[in-house]
Amino acid sequence: MLFDFEKYLGKPAIIDDTDMVVTFDDLAQFKKEIVEIVPERSLVFHLSRNVCGSMAGYCVFVSTTIVPAMFDAATNKDMMDNLINIYQPDYFWLPEDMVETYPGEVVYSKFNYCMVKTGLKSYPMHPELGLLLTTSGSTGTPKLVRTSYSNIDGFETLIANYSCHDESIPNHHISTMPIYHNYDLLGLSRMLYYGWYCLLTTKSIISPDFWKFFKKYGANSFGSVPFNYELLEKVKFREMGLKMSYTTEAGGAMPVEMQKTYAQWHHDNGGTLQIIYGATEAPGGLIILTGLDNIRKLGSIGQVVAPGRAEIWDDDGNVITEPNVPGEIVYFGPTVCMGYASCGEDLMKGYDYTDGLHTGDIAYRDEEDFYYIVGRKARFLKFAGERVSMDETEKLISQELGGIPVACHGVDNNMGVYVCSDDESLKDKIIMYLVSKLKISPTMVNVKFMDEFPRLANGKVNYQKLS
């Protein structure tokens, strides 16, 4: 079991920036109470914020037979109403101040959160289904990742088999991203697995209040995305004199000079930098680069973490065994999810990934089994750790512009939007729309206007020639 609350009674478990403290005793009591109120195999829409009540709900639900579906509490109501219509949740676990937004019968309250009975009846669920996660970024599609209890137990195995620092020394991880996001959620979960407390804040890393909270409770690790490391440089993080166990990076490629800088800084100060390659479809770090390997193997994403394994496949599905030959990364391991759900009926489906998780990333493996990504098979980019479909984004922008042809192409954290129009006054409208829709920085969007798109022989847009 990932969370054993009884093992750490008497110790704090979760602290947020309102100074609320939830202990392991509180979590154990919460678990006892909630199973008396919420029936087994209930589907709960979990509206997440970076506060104690949200994290406590996640930990308790995945430790019972209650199935949470994790969403951002700030999700647009029209989008959420659509999801409610599709999945018919039995309950909401939501902040007290949102009870009027999603009315129903409040059957339980704890840590400023409420369990609200919707009056709906969820679809039958597979007995192994334990958790539903979003993977489509902020574009509002209903596709969810079906995560099993075996996957959650598999994450425990990954933790036990990989150590990034001396586990006898208490570690206190602080959130830098929304906790409905798989990456930070699991970093925080790791603390509770070892009986350490985790720290939750809604403050940005450029806010002085973030660092006051950080120092007050002795945070010494966090996970972040490439853009946040740029912000860390602006606030002179490395000059603060903090004693860090480690920092992690995921959600896209870290600039190599930044990677070298942080790897060396951590080494000089008794900590470590970890580059983590993972996926919502397989919670936990699948491939990890740590310590001075960040310099020795600059640009690599690291080596596979046991008991998982990875293969490089060519376009015909053959395994590439020789080093330095690129192909798609296919991952096999205990955390590979059951598959996707796009409708309520899908919640009853079993395991789809019987031949491994096809990541869509093109990479090669060197002679020492370090992996290097060289491209992406599918058209997705990552922005601050959120994966966004370029195909879907094209459609959304085109609809917003009344049907004007749009093409999207780029690299993680930097999207090029190409528009078949000579009306350059549309530029600000496009940028503001994407900032609002995807919650990204305006600096991550470049808009260009052109007479027509370059095309392949089959008539499809030749994205490689867009520049």
Side-chain angles (χ1 to χ4, degrees):
M1 180 184 295
L2 181 57
F3 301 117
D4 185 354
F5 308 134
E6 302 285 344
K7 185 177 180 180
Y8 301 111
L9 296 180
K11 300 178 67 175
I14 310 166
I15 304 174
D16 68 25
D17 60 16
T18 70
D19 291 324
M20 177 180 282
V21 178
V22 172
T23 66
F24 283 95
D25 305 66
D26 294 329
L27 293 174
Q29 184 63 30
F30 180 9
K31 181 178 177 180
K32 290 177 183 177
E33 293 170 352
I34 203 66
V35 296
E36 295 297 321
I37 297 168
V38 177
E40 293 184 355
R41 308 308 294 157
S42 291
L43 176 61
V44 176
F45 271 21
H46 183 305
L47 301 192
S48 174
R49 286 181 182 166
N50 283 25
V51 293
C52 285
S54 183
M55 186 68 189
Y58 162 76
C59 295
V60 167
F61 300 155
V62 298
S63 301
T64 66
T65 60
I66 297 168
V67 180
M70 304 293 293
F71 299 105
D72 183 0
T75 299
N76 178 280
K77 189 168 186 301
D78 288 340
M79 293 180 182
M80 186 55 66
D81 286 342
N82 183 46
L83 290 162
I84 294 168
N85 183 56
I86 291 171
Y87 290 104
Q88 302 285 300
D90 301 289
Y91 294 87
F92 272 97
W93 179 246
L94 45 67
E96 287 179 337
D97 61 16
M98 294 186 71
V99 168
E100 297 301 319
T101 305
Y102 298 99
E105 180 188 358
V106 177
V107 297
Y108 182 78
S109 298
K110 197 87 166 179
F111 314 128
N112 299 328
Y113 256 65
C114 295
M115 185 67 80
V116 177
K117 188 174 183 178
T118 65
L120 303 172
K121 177 60 180 174
S122 67
Y123 288 84
M125 293 183 285
H126 192 282
E128 263 286 287
L129 180 63
L131 173 67
L132 292 162
L133 297 168
T134 57
T135 185
S136 60
S138 304
T139 52
T141 58
K143 186 167 74 171
L144 303 177
V145 174
R146 295 181 290 116
T147 305
S148 71
Y149 292 113
S150 296
N151 297 150
I152 297 168
D153 290 342
F155 177 61
E156 176 184 1
T157 304
L158 287 178
I159 290 176
N161 285 3
Y162 184 80
S163 174
C164 58
H165 81 301
D166 185 350
E167 305 299 356
S168 66
I169 301 173
N171 188 56
H172 305 302
H173 192 91
I174 188 169
S175 64
T176 61
M177 293 171 289
I179 65 169
Y180 70 88
H181 188 290
N182 175 54
Y183 173 33
D184 224 14
L185 182 64
L186 293 175
L188 297 163
S189 297
R190 187 172 180 276
M191 301 300 99
L192 305 187
Y193 173 81
Y194 283 110
W196 306 322
Y197 61 79
C198 61
L199 300 167
L200 300 175
T201 178
T202 59
K203 305 296 190 297
S204 164
I205 59 174
I206 62 173
S207 167
D209 289 338
F210 177 94
W211 298 106
K212 289 178 184 177
F213 179 61
F214 186 106
K215 295 172 184 177
K216 181 177 181 178
Y217 291 103
N220 55 5
S221 73
F222 58 80
S224 208
V225 294
F227 179 68
N228 277 353
Y229 276 90
E230 296 176 18
L231 297 180
L232 288 173
E233 288 300 286
K234 291 182 179 180
V235 299
K236 301 186 185 303
F237 165 72
R238 290 182 290 116
E239 299 174 20
M240 292 182 184
L242 300 171
K243 183 65 175 177
M244 300 294 295
S245 293
Y246 63 88
T247 63
T248 66
E249 186 276 332
M254 191 178 197
V256 291
E257 287 305 315
M258 188 82 73
Q259 183 179 347
K260 287 172 61 177
T261 296
Y262 272 81
Q264 191 63 56
W265 176 79
H266 271 299
H267 178 72
D268 294 343
N269 291 276
T272 187
L273 170 68
Q274 289 185 67
I275 303 295
I276 296 180
Y277 174 82
T280 305
E281 293 85 351
L286 313 185
I287 301 174
I288 293 179
L289 186 71
T290 191
L292 291 181
D293 280 339
N294 280 284
I295 296 174
R296 188 173 72 90
K297 296 288 186 178
L298 191 63
S300 170
I301 58 171
Q303 295 177 305
V304 178
V305 181
R309 64 182 178 86
E311 296 174 347
I312 302 290
W313 287 21
D314 65 19
D315 290 340
D316 297 321
N318 300 310
V319 178
I320 299 172
T321 57
E322 57 268 34
N324 304 313
V325 178
E328 183 183 11
I329 299 176
V330 180
Y331 177 80
F332 304 82
T335 64
V336 174
C337 72
M338 300 175 75
Y340 296 112
S342 296
C343 62
E345 290 85 354
D346 287 346
L347 301 183
M348 194 61 188
K349 292 170 64 177
Y351 284 85
D352 292 337
Y353 290 127
T354 55
D355 63 343
L357 175 64
H358 292 253
T359 65
D361 287 318
I362 305 301
Y364 66 87
R365 181 180 56 237
D366 72 10
E367 293 83 352
E368 296 181 78
D369 290 331
F370 283 83
Y371 287 75
Y372 295 77
I373 291 179
V374 296
R376 197 182 294 277
K377 187 174 182 179
R379 291 203 343 103
F380 289 89
L381 299 181
K382 286 186 177 180
F383 294 89
E386 293 281 4
R387 188 170 58 181
V388 176
S389 165
M390 293 296 94
D391 293 331
E392 185 177 7
T393 303
E394 286 175 358
K395 294 176 183 177
L396 291 171
I397 299 172
S398 181
Q399 290 172 1
E400 184 71 11
L401 300 181
I404 294 174
V406 173
C408 295
H409 184 59
V411 295
D412 289 343
N413 301 311
N414 193 341
M415 185 198 319
V417 178
Y418 302 86
V419 185
C420 274
S421 172
D422 58 1
D423 184 4
E424 297 195 5
S425 68
L426 296 173
K427 179 178 179 179
D428 289 343
K429 180 178 182 179
I430 293 169
I431 291 175
M432 289 302 100
Y433 175 76
L434 290 174
V435 168
S436 172
K437 193 73 173 177
L438 304 181
K439 312 300 182 188
I440 62 178
S441 167
T443 61
M444 296 178 177
V445 182
N446 294 298
V447 180
K448 296 184 179 181
F449 297 86
M450 55 203 329
D451 294 330
E452 61 182 8
F453 299 140
R455 302 279 177 179
L456 298 167
N458 60 9
K460 294 183 179 180
V461 175
N462 188 338
Y463 290 98
Q464 300 306 316
K465 288 192 175 181
L466 288 174
S467 61

